[in-house]
mmCIF file of all heavy atoms in Angstrom:
data_model
loop_
_atom_site.group_PDB
_atom_site.id
_atom_site.type_symbol
_atom_site.label_atom_id
_atom_site.label_comp_id
_atom_site.label_asym_id
_atom_site.label_seq_id
_atom_site.Cartn_x
_atom_site.Cartn_y
_atom_site.Cartn_z
ATOM 1 N N ASP A 387 15.033 8.908 11.811
ATOM 2 C CA ASP A 387 16.336 8.919 11.412
ATOM 3 C C ASP A 387 17.030 7.595 11.809
ATOM 4 O O ASP A 387 18.151 7.175 11.098
ATOM 5 C CB ASP A 387 17.188 9.974 11.850
ATOM 6 C CG ASP A 387 16.643 11.389 11.445
ATOM 7 O OD1 ASP A 387 15.994 11.370 10.384
ATOM 8 O OD2 ASP A 387 16.914 12.392 12.007
ATOM 9 N N ASP A 388 16.453 6.854 12.767
ATOM 10 C CA ASP A 388 17.075 5.620 13.278
ATOM 11 C C ASP A 388 16.367 4.414 12.601
ATOM 12 O O ASP A 388 16.539 3.377 13.223
ATOM 13 C CB ASP A 388 16.901 5.638 14.760
ATOM 14 C CG ASP A 388 17.914 4.594 15.491
ATOM 15 O OD1 ASP A 388 19.011 4.411 14.887
ATOM 16 O OD2 ASP A 388 17.628 4.011 16.557
ATOM 17 N N PHE A 389 15.672 4.614 11.547
ATOM 18 C CA PHE A 389 14.914 3.623 10.962
ATOM 19 C C PHE A 389 15.649 2.343 10.593
ATOM 20 O O PHE A 389 15.306 1.155 10.809
ATOM 21 C CB PHE A 389 14.263 4.108 9.631
ATOM 22 C CG PHE A 389 13.435 3.238 8.913
ATOM 23 C CD1 PHE A 389 12.271 2.550 9.461
ATOM 24 C CD2 PHE A 389 13.873 2.678 7.714
ATOM 25 C CE1 PHE A 389 11.554 1.635 8.748
ATOM 26 C CE2 PHE A 389 13.076 1.828 6.991
ATOM 27 C CZ PHE A 389 11.913 1.183 7.436
ATOM 28 N N ALA A 390 16.942 2.506 10.062
ATOM 29 C CA ALA A 390 17.674 1.339 9.689
ATOM 30 C C ALA A 390 17.976 0.451 10.946
ATOM 31 O O ALA A 390 17.906 -0.723 10.744
ATOM 32 C CB ALA A 390 19.055 1.809 8.955
ATOM 33 N N ALA A 391 18.322 0.964 11.980
ATOM 34 C CA ALA A 391 18.595 0.228 13.124
ATOM 35 C C ALA A 391 17.381 -0.378 13.719
ATOM 36 O O ALA A 391 17.294 -1.539 14.157
ATOM 37 C CB ALA A 391 19.146 1.167 14.320
ATOM 38 N N GLN A 392 16.139 0.189 13.590
ATOM 39 C CA GLN A 392 14.894 -0.376 14.009
ATOM 40 C C GLN A 392 14.590 -1.490 13.146
ATOM 41 O O GLN A 392 14.103 -2.552 13.597
ATOM 42 C CB GLN A 392 13.751 0.742 13.913
ATOM 43 C CG GLN A 392 14.028 1.850 14.931
ATOM 44 C CD GLN A 392 12.919 2.942 14.674
ATOM 45 O OE1 GLN A 392 12.737 3.392 13.570
ATOM 46 N NE2 GLN A 392 12.377 3.566 15.735
ATOM 47 N N LEU A 393 14.806 -1.277 11.873
ATOM 48 C CA LEU A 393 14.543 -2.418 10.892
ATOM 49 C C LEU A 393 15.363 -3.574 11.232
ATOM 50 O O LEU A 393 14.892 -4.762 11.250
ATOM 51 C CB LEU A 393 14.659 -1.870 9.499
ATOM 52 C CG LEU A 393 14.458 -2.936 8.376
ATOM 53 C CD1 LEU A 393 13.019 -3.392 8.259
ATOM 54 C CD2 LEU A 393 14.894 -2.286 7.097
ATOM 55 N N ALA A 394 16.642 -3.363 11.460
ATOM 56 C CA ALA A 394 17.596 -4.555 11.750
ATOM 57 C C ALA A 394 17.202 -5.239 12.975
ATOM 58 O O ALA A 394 17.156 -6.427 13.057
ATOM 59 C CB ALA A 394 19.042 -3.914 11.866
ATOM 60 N N GLU A 395 16.666 -4.417 14.057
ATOM 61 C CA GLU A 395 16.139 -4.995 15.316
ATOM 62 C C GLU A 395 14.929 -5.889 15.042
ATOM 63 O O GLU A 395 14.774 -7.000 15.421
ATOM 64 C CB GLU A 395 15.904 -4.059 16.376
ATOM 65 C CG GLU A 395 15.422 -4.783 17.684
ATOM 66 C CD GLU A 395 14.975 -3.623 18.732
ATOM 67 O OE1 GLU A 395 15.464 -2.446 18.610
ATOM 68 O OE2 GLU A 395 14.277 -3.998 19.627
ATOM 69 N N LEU A 396 14.039 -5.325 14.222
ATOM 70 C CA LEU A 396 12.801 -6.059 13.733
ATOM 71 C C LEU A 396 13.076 -7.369 13.203
ATOM 72 O O LEU A 396 12.585 -8.519 13.600
ATOM 73 C CB LEU A 396 11.869 -5.248 12.980
ATOM 74 C CG LEU A 396 10.671 -5.945 12.339
ATOM 75 C CD1 LEU A 396 9.805 -6.466 13.427
ATOM 76 C CD2 LEU A 396 9.926 -4.949 11.321
ATOM 77 N N LEU A 397 13.970 -7.376 12.189
ATOM 78 C CA LEU A 397 14.284 -8.559 11.492
ATOM 79 C C LEU A 397 15.105 -9.582 12.498
ATOM 80 O O LEU A 397 14.813 -10.831 12.366
ATOM 81 C CB LEU A 397 15.266 -8.266 10.359
ATOM 82 C CG LEU A 397 14.618 -7.406 9.234
ATOM 83 C CD1 LEU A 397 15.652 -7.033 8.129
ATOM 84 C CD2 LEU A 397 13.381 -8.079 8.694
ATOM 85 N N GLY A 398 15.740 -9.008 13.398
ATOM 86 C CA GLY A 398 16.446 -9.854 14.371
ATOM 87 C C GLY A 398 15.496 -10.621 15.377
ATOM 88 O O GLY A 398 15.723 -11.823 15.660
ATOM 89 N N TRP A 399 14.441 -9.950 15.682
ATOM 90 C CA TRP A 399 13.281 -10.648 16.471
ATOM 91 C C TRP A 399 12.736 -11.786 15.704
ATOM 92 O O TRP A 399 12.389 -12.829 16.319
ATOM 93 C CB TRP A 399 12.204 -9.547 16.738
ATOM 94 C CG TRP A 399 12.663 -8.609 17.888
ATOM 95 C CD1 TRP A 399 12.718 -7.234 17.797
ATOM 96 C CD2 TRP A 399 12.913 -8.932 19.241
ATOM 97 N NE1 TRP A 399 13.081 -6.689 18.957
ATOM 98 C CE2 TRP A 399 13.217 -7.683 19.890
ATOM 99 C CE3 TRP A 399 13.022 -10.072 20.043
ATOM 100 C CZ2 TRP A 399 13.480 -7.607 21.285
ATOM 101 C CZ3 TRP A 399 13.271 -9.977 21.436
ATOM 102 C CH2 TRP A 399 13.603 -8.633 21.955
ATOM 103 N N LEU A 400 12.640 -11.544 14.330
ATOM 104 C CA LEU A 400 12.021 -12.611 13.587
ATOM 105 C C LEU A 400 12.879 -13.942 13.355
ATOM 106 O O LEU A 400 12.456 -15.039 13.348
ATOM 107 C CB LEU A 400 11.663 -12.262 12.117
ATOM 108 C CG LEU A 400 10.513 -11.143 12.237
ATOM 109 C CD1 LEU A 400 10.300 -10.573 10.723
ATOM 110 C CD2 LEU A 400 9.155 -11.720 12.628
ATOM 111 N N ASP A 401 14.215 -13.636 13.112
ATOM 112 C CA ASP A 401 15.243 -14.749 12.780
ATOM 113 C C ASP A 401 15.993 -15.269 14.001
ATOM 114 O O ASP A 401 16.764 -16.184 14.082
ATOM 115 C CB ASP A 401 16.099 -14.442 11.792
ATOM 116 C CG ASP A 401 16.973 -13.271 11.949
ATOM 117 O OD1 ASP A 401 17.201 -12.922 13.188
ATOM 118 O OD2 ASP A 401 17.543 -12.684 10.987
ATOM 119 N N GLY A 402 15.650 -14.494 15.292
ATOM 120 C CA GLY A 402 16.342 -14.974 16.529
ATOM 121 C C GLY A 402 17.749 -14.390 16.644
ATOM 122 O O GLY A 402 18.466 -14.976 17.649
ATOM 123 N N THR A 403 18.132 -13.471 15.927
ATOM 124 C CA THR A 403 19.554 -13.114 16.053
ATOM 125 C C THR A 403 19.769 -11.669 16.924
ATOM 126 O O THR A 403 20.810 -11.317 17.000
ATOM 127 C CB THR A 403 20.153 -12.731 14.663
ATOM 128 O OG1 THR A 403 19.385 -11.854 13.970
ATOM 129 C CG2 THR A 403 20.102 -14.113 13.766
ATOM 130 N N GLN A 404 18.673 -11.146 17.299
ATOM 131 C CA GLN A 404 18.772 -9.844 17.972
ATOM 132 C C GLN A 404 19.595 -10.105 19.325
ATOM 133 O O GLN A 404 19.346 -10.968 19.893
ATOM 134 C CB GLN A 404 17.445 -9.237 18.230
ATOM 135 C CG GLN A 404 16.600 -9.803 19.217
ATOM 136 C CD GLN A 404 16.964 -9.575 20.630
ATOM 137 O OE1 GLN A 404 17.402 -8.479 20.990
ATOM 138 N NE2 GLN A 404 16.577 -10.502 21.653
ATOM 139 N N GLN A 405 20.450 -9.237 19.561
ATOM 140 C CA GLN A 405 21.275 -9.237 20.850
ATOM 141 C C GLN A 405 21.012 -8.130 21.725
ATOM 142 O O GLN A 405 21.723 -8.123 22.828
ATOM 143 C CB GLN A 405 22.864 -9.204 20.334
ATOM 144 C CG GLN A 405 23.229 -10.339 19.396
ATOM 145 C CD GLN A 405 23.040 -11.734 20.102
ATOM 146 O OE1 GLN A 405 23.335 -11.822 21.343
ATOM 147 N NE2 GLN A 405 22.652 -12.739 19.522
ATOM 148 N N ALA A 406 20.151 -7.213 21.409
ATOM 149 C CA ALA A 406 19.963 -5.990 22.289
ATOM 150 C C ALA A 406 19.330 -6.376 23.621
ATOM 151 O O ALA A 406 19.538 -5.720 24.764
ATOM 152 C CB ALA A 406 19.073 -4.989 21.599
ATOM 153 N N HIS A 407 18.546 -7.542 23.610
ATOM 154 C CA HIS A 407 17.833 -7.974 24.747
ATOM 155 C C HIS A 407 18.183 -9.474 24.907
ATOM 156 O O HIS A 407 17.208 -10.361 24.535
ATOM 157 C CB HIS A 407 16.366 -7.636 24.587
ATOM 158 C CG HIS A 407 16.010 -6.409 24.354
ATOM 159 N ND1 HIS A 407 16.097 -5.314 25.278
ATOM 160 C CD2 HIS A 407 15.737 -5.635 23.139
ATOM 161 C CE1 HIS A 407 15.789 -4.101 24.714
ATOM 162 N NE2 HIS A 407 15.645 -4.230 23.449
ATOM 163 N N PRO A 408 19.277 -9.887 25.522
ATOM 164 C CA PRO A 408 19.548 -11.286 25.611
ATOM 165 C C PRO A 408 18.450 -12.202 26.407
ATOM 166 O O PRO A 408 17.833 -11.683 27.326
ATOM 167 C CB PRO A 408 20.851 -11.340 26.512
ATOM 168 C CG PRO A 408 21.406 -9.924 26.216
ATOM 169 C CD PRO A 408 20.185 -8.990 26.122
ATOM 170 N N GLN A 409 18.263 -13.354 25.950
ATOM 171 C CA GLN A 409 17.289 -14.262 26.537
ATOM 172 C C GLN A 409 15.867 -13.824 26.333
ATOM 173 O O GLN A 409 14.965 -14.373 27.033
ATOM 174 C CB GLN A 409 17.730 -14.602 27.957
ATOM 175 C CG GLN A 409 19.171 -15.125 28.088
ATOM 176 C CD GLN A 409 19.431 -15.439 29.573
ATOM 177 O OE1 GLN A 409 18.747 -14.985 30.499
ATOM 178 N NE2 GLN A 409 20.362 -16.448 29.743
ATOM 179 N N VAL A 410 15.585 -12.841 25.549
ATOM 180 C CA VAL A 410 14.215 -12.305 25.312
ATOM 181 C C VAL A 410 13.810 -12.810 23.847
ATOM 182 O O VAL A 410 14.521 -12.648 22.998
ATOM 183 C CB VAL A 410 13.992 -10.884 25.347
ATOM 184 C CG1 VAL A 410 12.614 -10.332 25.140
ATOM 185 C CG2 VAL A 410 14.433 -10.400 26.819
ATOM 186 N N HIS A 411 12.656 -13.356 23.684
ATOM 187 C CA HIS A 411 12.194 -13.851 22.392
ATOM 188 C C HIS A 411 10.882 -13.374 22.013
ATOM 189 O O HIS A 411 10.077 -13.181 22.874
ATOM 190 C CB HIS A 411 12.171 -15.469 22.451
ATOM 191 C CG HIS A 411 13.480 -16.015 22.741
ATOM 192 N ND1 HIS A 411 14.572 -16.309 21.881
ATOM 193 C CD2 HIS A 411 14.038 -16.315 23.930
ATOM 194 C CE1 HIS A 411 15.522 -16.842 22.503
ATOM 195 N NE2 HIS A 411 15.275 -16.865 23.682
ATOM 196 N N ALA A 412 10.702 -13.034 20.751
ATOM 197 C CA ALA A 412 9.321 -12.604 20.284
ATOM 198 C C ALA A 412 8.559 -13.781 19.877
ATOM 199 O O ALA A 412 8.769 -14.478 18.921
ATOM 200 C CB ALA A 412 9.570 -11.653 19.032
ATOM 201 N N ARG A 413 7.452 -14.030 20.622
ATOM 202 C CA ARG A 413 6.597 -15.264 20.437
ATOM 203 C C ARG A 413 5.300 -14.752 19.872
ATOM 204 O O ARG A 413 4.723 -13.627 20.335
ATOM 205 C CB ARG A 413 6.394 -15.984 21.803
ATOM 206 C CG ARG A 413 7.545 -16.265 22.645
ATOM 207 C CD ARG A 413 8.375 -17.368 22.088
ATOM 208 N NE ARG A 413 9.348 -17.786 22.998
ATOM 209 C CZ ARG A 413 10.438 -18.560 22.820
ATOM 210 N NH1 ARG A 413 10.619 -18.910 21.388
ATOM 211 N NH2 ARG A 413 11.272 -18.755 23.782
ATOM 212 N N PRO A 414 4.779 -15.450 18.835
ATOM 213 C CA PRO A 414 5.198 -16.572 18.148
ATOM 214 C C PRO A 414 6.053 -16.413 16.941
ATOM 215 O O PRO A 414 6.170 -17.169 15.982
ATOM 216 C CB PRO A 414 3.935 -17.246 17.799
ATOM 217 C CG PRO A 414 3.125 -16.246 17.419
ATOM 218 C CD PRO A 414 3.320 -15.020 18.441
ATOM 219 N N ALA A 415 6.649 -15.174 16.856
ATOM 220 C CA ALA A 415 7.301 -14.739 15.616
ATOM 221 C C ALA A 415 8.574 -15.331 15.281
ATOM 222 O O ALA A 415 8.855 -15.656 14.125
ATOM 223 C CB ALA A 415 7.420 -13.223 15.582
ATOM 224 N N GLU A 416 9.349 -15.611 16.378
ATOM 225 C CA GLU A 416 10.744 -16.088 16.073
ATOM 226 C C GLU A 416 10.802 -17.465 15.224
ATOM 227 O O GLU A 416 10.030 -18.423 15.621
ATOM 228 C CB GLU A 416 11.355 -16.292 17.335
ATOM 229 C CG GLU A 416 12.998 -16.644 17.201
ATOM 230 C CD GLU A 416 13.658 -16.674 18.536
ATOM 231 O OE1 GLU A 416 13.597 -15.678 19.170
ATOM 232 O OE2 GLU A 416 14.300 -17.776 18.792
ATOM 233 N N GLY A 417 11.399 -17.361 14.084
ATOM 234 C CA GLY A 417 11.603 -18.595 13.270
ATOM 235 C C GLY A 417 10.589 -18.555 12.165
ATOM 236 O O GLY A 417 10.777 -19.401 11.209
ATOM 237 N N LEU A 418 9.596 -17.771 12.161
ATOM 238 C CA LEU A 418 8.598 -17.720 11.086
ATOM 239 C C LEU A 418 9.179 -16.923 10.002
ATOM 240 O O LEU A 418 9.878 -15.950 10.125
ATOM 241 C CB LEU A 418 7.254 -17.036 11.568
ATOM 242 C CG LEU A 418 6.567 -17.841 12.639
ATOM 243 C CD1 LEU A 418 5.183 -17.137 12.975
ATOM 244 C CD2 LEU A 418 6.210 -19.379 12.213
ATOM 245 N N ARG A 419 8.840 -17.307 8.719
ATOM 246 C CA ARG A 419 9.365 -16.640 7.489
ATOM 247 C C ARG A 419 8.176 -15.684 7.048
ATOM 248 O O ARG A 419 7.276 -16.109 6.369
ATOM 249 C CB ARG A 419 9.651 -17.588 6.454
ATOM 250 C CG ARG A 419 10.799 -18.493 6.890
ATOM 251 C CD ARG A 419 12.217 -17.935 6.874
ATOM 252 N NE ARG A 419 13.289 -18.846 7.343
ATOM 253 C CZ ARG A 419 14.443 -18.534 6.985
ATOM 254 N NH1 ARG A 419 14.852 -17.433 6.621
ATOM 255 N NH2 ARG A 419 15.403 -19.438 7.388
ATOM 256 N N ILE A 420 8.350 -14.405 7.278
ATOM 257 C CA ILE A 420 7.349 -13.390 6.876
ATOM 258 C C ILE A 420 8.039 -12.367 6.005
ATOM 259 O O ILE A 420 8.917 -11.671 6.322
ATOM 260 C CB ILE A 420 6.803 -12.735 8.194
ATOM 261 C CG1 ILE A 420 6.219 -13.666 9.240
ATOM 262 C CG2 ILE A 420 5.696 -11.790 7.751
ATOM 263 C CD1 ILE A 420 6.024 -13.078 10.552
ATOM 264 N N PRO A 421 7.641 -12.467 4.723
ATOM 265 C CA PRO A 421 8.345 -11.612 3.701
ATOM 266 C C PRO A 421 8.350 -10.090 4.120
ATOM 267 O O PRO A 421 7.177 -9.375 4.289
ATOM 268 C CB PRO A 421 7.602 -11.806 2.463
ATOM 269 C CG PRO A 421 7.047 -13.121 2.620
ATOM 270 C CD PRO A 421 6.710 -13.199 3.997
ATOM 271 N N PRO A 422 9.465 -9.455 4.337
ATOM 272 C CA PRO A 422 9.547 -7.954 4.693
ATOM 273 C C PRO A 422 9.680 -7.169 3.314
ATOM 274 O O PRO A 422 10.326 -7.586 2.412
ATOM 275 C CB PRO A 422 10.699 -7.830 5.701
ATOM 276 C CG PRO A 422 11.680 -8.943 5.234
ATOM 277 C CD PRO A 422 10.799 -10.005 4.440
ATOM 278 N N PHE A 423 9.014 -5.942 3.393
ATOM 279 C CA PHE A 423 9.184 -4.913 2.436
ATOM 280 C C PHE A 423 9.322 -3.643 2.894
ATOM 281 O O PHE A 423 8.912 -3.217 4.040
ATOM 282 C CB PHE A 423 7.834 -4.881 1.589
ATOM 283 C CG PHE A 423 7.485 -6.132 0.777
ATOM 284 C CD1 PHE A 423 6.903 -7.230 1.475
ATOM 285 C CD2 PHE A 423 7.565 -6.260 -0.557
ATOM 286 C CE1 PHE A 423 6.558 -8.397 0.859
ATOM 287 C CE2 PHE A 423 7.136 -7.302 -1.350
ATOM 288 C CZ PHE A 423 6.730 -8.413 -0.589
ATOM 289 N N VAL A 424 10.202 -2.789 2.260
ATOM 290 C CA VAL A 424 10.474 -1.463 2.894
ATOM 291 C C VAL A 424 9.705 -0.481 1.972
ATOM 292 O O VAL A 424 10.017 -0.378 0.732
ATOM 293 C CB VAL A 424 12.066 -1.167 2.767
ATOM 294 C CG1 VAL A 424 12.328 0.288 3.157
ATOM 295 C CG2 VAL A 424 12.697 -2.072 3.730
ATOM 296 N N LEU A 425 8.888 0.335 2.625
ATOM 297 C CA LEU A 425 8.222 1.359 1.848
ATOM 298 C C LEU A 425 9.134 2.804 1.935
ATOM 299 O O LEU A 425 9.548 3.063 3.058
ATOM 300 C CB LEU A 425 6.963 1.810 2.573
ATOM 301 C CG LEU A 425 5.771 0.914 2.338
ATOM 302 C CD1 LEU A 425 5.905 -0.481 2.754
ATOM 303 C CD2 LEU A 425 4.432 1.439 2.770
ATOM 304 N N ALA A 426 9.373 3.259 0.800
ATOM 305 C CA ALA A 426 10.468 4.205 0.734
ATOM 306 C C ALA A 426 10.253 5.366 -0.260
ATOM 307 O O ALA A 426 9.579 5.130 -1.258
ATOM 308 C CB ALA A 426 11.755 3.622 0.501
ATOM 309 N N THR A 427 10.891 6.506 0.004
ATOM 310 C CA THR A 427 10.950 7.567 -0.972
ATOM 311 C C THR A 427 12.442 8.039 -0.710
ATOM 312 O O THR A 427 12.857 8.224 0.520
ATOM 313 C CB THR A 427 10.105 8.682 -0.855
ATOM 314 O OG1 THR A 427 10.199 9.169 0.441
ATOM 315 C CG2 THR A 427 8.672 8.202 -1.106
ATOM 316 N N GLY A 428 13.213 8.264 -1.758
ATOM 317 C CA GLY A 428 14.553 8.788 -1.615
ATOM 318 C C GLY A 428 15.439 7.925 -0.666
ATOM 319 O O GLY A 428 15.815 6.825 -0.994
ATOM 320 N N GLU A 429 15.856 8.479 0.579
ATOM 321 C CA GLU A 429 16.784 7.703 1.388
ATOM 322 C C GLU A 429 16.405 6.402 1.726
ATOM 323 O O GLU A 429 17.276 5.408 1.912
ATOM 324 C CB GLU A 429 17.026 8.607 2.605
ATOM 325 C CG GLU A 429 17.988 7.977 3.608
ATOM 326 C CD GLU A 429 17.943 8.756 4.959
ATOM 327 O OE1 GLU A 429 17.553 9.822 4.992
ATOM 328 O OE2 GLU A 429 18.556 8.165 5.984
#
Side-chain angles (χ1 to χ4, degrees):
D387 294 340
D388 201 30
F389 176 69
Q392 293 172 317
L393 178 62
E395 181 183 340
L396 171 60
L397 298 178
W399 287 114
L400 294 175
D401 62 23
T403 62
Q404 71 81 25
Q405 298 297 319
H407 306 280
Q409 300 181 340
V410 181
H411 302 273
R413 312 286 189 192
E416 188 174 300
L418 296 180
R419 301 286 184 165
I420 306 168
F423 297 74
V424 174
L425 281 66
T427 57
E429 180 186 345

